[in-house]
Amino acid sequence: MPGPSTPAPTDPQPGAEHGPSAGHSLSAGHSPSVEHSLSAEYGPSAEPDAQAAPDSPFDMYRPGAPHRAPDAPVPPQPGRLRATDPERHAAATPRVLLLAVLAGLLTAWLLYDGIGANLLICGAATAGAAGLVARTAGRRIRPWTLAWSLLALALLAVPARWDAGWPALLASGCALGLASLALHGGRRWPGVLLALPALVWQLIPGLSWIWDSLEGRPLPGAGRLVPVLKALAVAAVLLTVFGLLFAGADAAMADLLAGLVPSFDVHQLPGRGTLFGLGTLTALGFAHIAAGPRRWDRLEVRPGRERRRLEWALPLVALDLLFGAFAVIQAVMVLGGADAVLANTGMSRSAYARQGFWQLSVITVLTLVVVAVAKRWAPRTTPSDRRLARILLGLLCLLALAVVASALGRMWFYVDASGLTTLRLWVLVVEIWLGAVFLLLLAAGLTRRGGGWLPRAVVLSGMLTVAAYGLMGPDAIVAEQNVARYERSQQIDLRNVRDLSADAVPALDRLPEPQRSCALQLIRRDLDRDTRPWYAAGGSVTGARQVLAERPLVEGPRSGRGPCEWAGLVPERGW
């Protein structure tokens, strides 16, 4: 959505108000427009502690901060990235390395069998390493840091609650991005969008950071630790030798020792070793960010060259007229002209709804691209230029809401006729989120500051959508809707529910036979083969096992047909 022509304010570097180094950083790494936006936003007489780094999650190196280790050098970056360099990095300590190794060990031990509540445990160890470094650096939690962190915690709770794989993976990836954003901070589009995947390129620098900080540094407590390690090694050798001899001499002793010694499959070693490396590198990467985050808000993004009014406005006016014609047709359909429109197209209601949704979804996404591109090259020299941009882009966003509403209505009509699936639920959720983005764009265009809050609001809305989608249990929602449709109309497409996870068992258990056994057949087979421990599976698995144990599935009548054939479903390979 168009805003004022002045660039969005950037984050001042912590400590930028103190000393000559701050002035050197501004003169060397910032354009005049960035300096102007900083002074316009905060003013020359702003108090250092109250105004420094309003979007960074912590205040670094403020007066009165707790003692910290000597700072590690920051390697210079080439070109435009030099402006985003942190002023300094807090050095790593042996405790940070210990917590990172602990996170790696927990990852190798707990995450090998799957993801569930174990993800929260590994995340706690990783957060502990980053928090220790942040405290050493003298940083202070900011409100947006707390918001991103709590939302990341909610996302990590998705695999602990539900068993469906896709929502769990989506929530886990978003949680990693939010954790990176929480440590980086940011308010402009470069600061927010580049901070989300920033962990990826911090893995190797985190390893070199810990090496440079601890190289040549004596290990604290080495005088007490080394004798303990030696004693443990000797005890392990003695227990191994004499344990093998006792096991060979007595069968009862052999059974006792076999129960005490944990079983370990040598074929698991490569996989667990990979998980250990990933867990350790992830913890070190987050700790490295906490020691001195890169200030992506300082990355200068030059605005596009202004186009002439006619050259820029004519395509948008034509597009607005096209969107307006579509909105009028949809109004006619709603007000009772649907039969005439369907008669002219020669399509049934179901075919009309099914065909239209996907095209309208693509139109919604392309409209966002058009708005972003048009905003970049919009005329902005005079107030009338900026007013024209606001009107045309605002009208396009408003008409795009009609497209979103039409797409949602068509999909809901199709779901009511054919049933809900996980794919249909996902695209419904995404379409709702796109509608929310258009509303945010409209709100940004109406604000005087031009929506400086917009980047964080868009990311927040997207992450809240992912959290809500995961926590509500998509497979449980799909099963519930299909069962309710059967109870209402005695119609159900069993192909929509047979491939669901254990989350769907409580709802599908309400179906009568043979539909119930057909719907739960594949889920029971997967549960019979599932050997994951409790911490590597969603909490719904336990409830599903209990339901299937109390009410076993039927195998079908004596004719030899299975429950799905008995229910009238054509058999497929693998049934």
Side-chain angles (χ1 to χ4, degrees):
M1 187 65 197
S5 60
T6 56
T10 60
D11 283 346
Q13 179 74 8
E17 296 87 341
H18 308 286
S21 61
H24 175 72
S25 174
L26 281 176
S27 62
H30 291 73
S31 65
S33 61
V34 176
E35 291 185 37
H36 173 73
S37 64
L38 285 174
S39 63
E41 176 72 14
Y42 305 110
S45 60
E47 294 181 4
D49 188 64
Q51 299 294 338
D55 286 319
S56 65
F58 303 90
D59 280 338
M60 297 179 63
Y61 317 110
R62 69 185 188 280
H67 175 72
R68 58 180 180 270
D71 298 323
V74 179
Q77 297 293 333
R80 297 171 61 190
L81 286 180
R82 187 172 301 173
T84 68
D85 285 343
E87 288 187 352
R88 64 189 75 180
H89 269 301
T93 63
R95 290 184 180 180
V96 175
L97 178 60
L98 181 62
L99 284 175
V101 172
L102 176 61
L105 291 174
L106 289 174
T107 303
W109 175 35
L110 298 176
L111 294 186
Y112 184 81
D113 297 309
I115 57 175
N118 48 13
L119 206 58
L120 284 169
I121 300 174
C122 297
T126 303
L132 180 61
V133 175
R135 182 179 179 182
T136 302
R139 303 176 66 181
R140 187 176 59 188
I141 295 179
R142 288 288 185 175
W144 274 103
T145 305
L146 187 61
W148 299 133
S149 301
L150 291 178
L151 190 51
L153 185 64
L155 289 168
L156 290 180
V158 171
R161 175 66 181 90
W162 301 104
D163 186 53
W166 158 245
L169 290 176
L170 178 64
S172 302
C174 291
L176 287 175
L178 276 183
S180 177
L181 179 58
L183 292 172
H184 278 93
R187 69 167 47 181
R188 298 174 61 229
W189 284 112
V192 172
L193 295 182
L194 292 177
L196 289 171
L199 173 67
V200 176
W201 48 78
Q202 290 290 343
L203 298 179
I204 302 304
L207 190 61
S208 61
W209 166 69
I210 196 76
W211 177 268
D212 294 338
S213 298
L214 300 182
E215 185 180 13
R217 182 174 179 174
L219 185 66
R224 298 188 301 270
L225 182 61
V226 172
V228 173
L229 294 178
K230 290 181 179 179
L232 290 176
V234 173
V237 172
L238 293 176
L239 289 176
T240 301
V241 173
F242 285 95
L244 291 175
L245 293 175
F246 277 121
D250 187 82
M253 190 67 177
D255 292 338
L256 175 64
L257 293 177
L260 295 176
V261 177
S263 60
F264 183 76
D265 189 357
V266 69
H267 298 292
Q268 298 179 0
L269 190 59
R272 292 187 183 272
T274 301
L275 286 174
F276 171 77
L278 288 176
T280 305
L281 285 178
T282 300
L284 289 177
F286 278 126
H288 185 237
I289 296 173
R294 186 170 293 279
R295 304 300 180 183
W296 293 112
D297 270 348
R298 294 180 172 181
L299 186 64
E300 183 182 359
V301 179
R302 297 182 179 88
R305 182 174 61 87
E306 292 185 52
R307 305 294 178 178
R308 295 181 179 179
R309 280 196 183 186
L310 181 63
E311 177 186 1
W312 179 87
L314 182 60
L316 281 182
V317 170
L319 193 60
D320 285 341
L321 291 175
L322 180 62
F323 273 61
F326 176 81
V328 171
I329 293 176
Q330 299 311 299
V332 171
M333 291 282 292
V334 172
L335 294 177
D339 294 335
V341 175
L342 292 176
N344 292 332
T345 59
M347 301 174 64
S348 66
R349 284 179 175 269
S350 179
Y352 184 77
R354 180 175 65 252
Q355 181 193 38
F357 174 80
W358 300 106
Q359 288 88 335
L360 294 179
S361 299
V362 174
I363 289 173
T364 305
V365 176
L366 289 179
T367 304
L368 286 175
V369 176
V370 170
V371 170
V373 173
K375 175 66 173 65
R376 178 171 173 81
W377 280 286
R380 50 187 175 271
T381 302
T382 64
S384 59
D385 288 337
R386 295 192 290 272
R387 190 180 307 112
L388 176 65
R390 284 173 177 264
I391 292 174
L392 292 181
L393 292 179
L395 181 59
L396 183 60
C397 291
L398 186 62
L399 293 173
L401 289 176
V403 176
V404 171
S406 178
L408 291 175
R410 294 182 187 218
M411 176 54 75
W412 189 252
F413 181 83
Y414 184 56
V415 166
D416 186 63
S418 304
L420 187 64
T421 64
T422 51
L423 176 60
R424 294 167 192 169
L425 177 61
W426 169 243
V427 295
L428 275 172
V429 170
V430 172
E431 193 70 26
I432 292 173
W433 174 67
L434 291 175
V437 171
F438 280 114
L439 289 175
L440 291 173
L441 290 173
L442 286 170
L446 296 175
T447 56
R448 293 183 177 180
R449 294 183 59 187
W453 46 266
L454 184 61
R456 288 182 295 189
V458 170
V459 172
L460 180 63
S461 66
M463 294 302 176
L464 285 175
T465 301
V466 173
Y469 171 76
L471 291 174
M472 72 182 181
D475 284 14
I477 296 276
V478 170
E480 179 64 35
Q481 195 277 339
N482 282 276
V483 171
R485 178 171 173 266
Y486 179 82
E487 293 172 344
R488 183 175 62 252
S489 63
Q490 300 301 305
Q491 294 180 353
I492 185 172
D493 189 347
L494 292 172
R495 291 169 297 183
N496 293 344
V497 297
R498 279 175 53 83
D499 294 328
L500 298 178
S501 65
D503 305 338
V505 170
L508 297 178
D509 186 57
R510 305 204 316 262
L511 289 172
E513 296 294 354
Q515 287 83 2
R516 173 183 176 272
S517 294
C518 177
L520 295 174
Q521 193 178 47
L522 298 181
I523 299 176
R524 185 194 63 177
R525 184 194 65 185
D526 293 339
L527 288 176
D528 291 341
R529 297 175 180 176
D530 191 0
T531 59
R532 292 176 296 174
W534 66 268
Y535 54 78
S540 61
V541 172
T542 302
R545 294 184 189 276
Q546 183 177 357
V547 169
L548 294 176
E550 293 175 354
R551 296 184 58 194
L553 305 186
V554 299
E555 299 301 330
R558 295 182 179 179
S559 60
R561 295 184 302 169
C564 289
E565 295 176 88
W566 185 17
L569 191 63
V570 178
E572 298 178 1
R573 181 177 299 177
W575 288 18

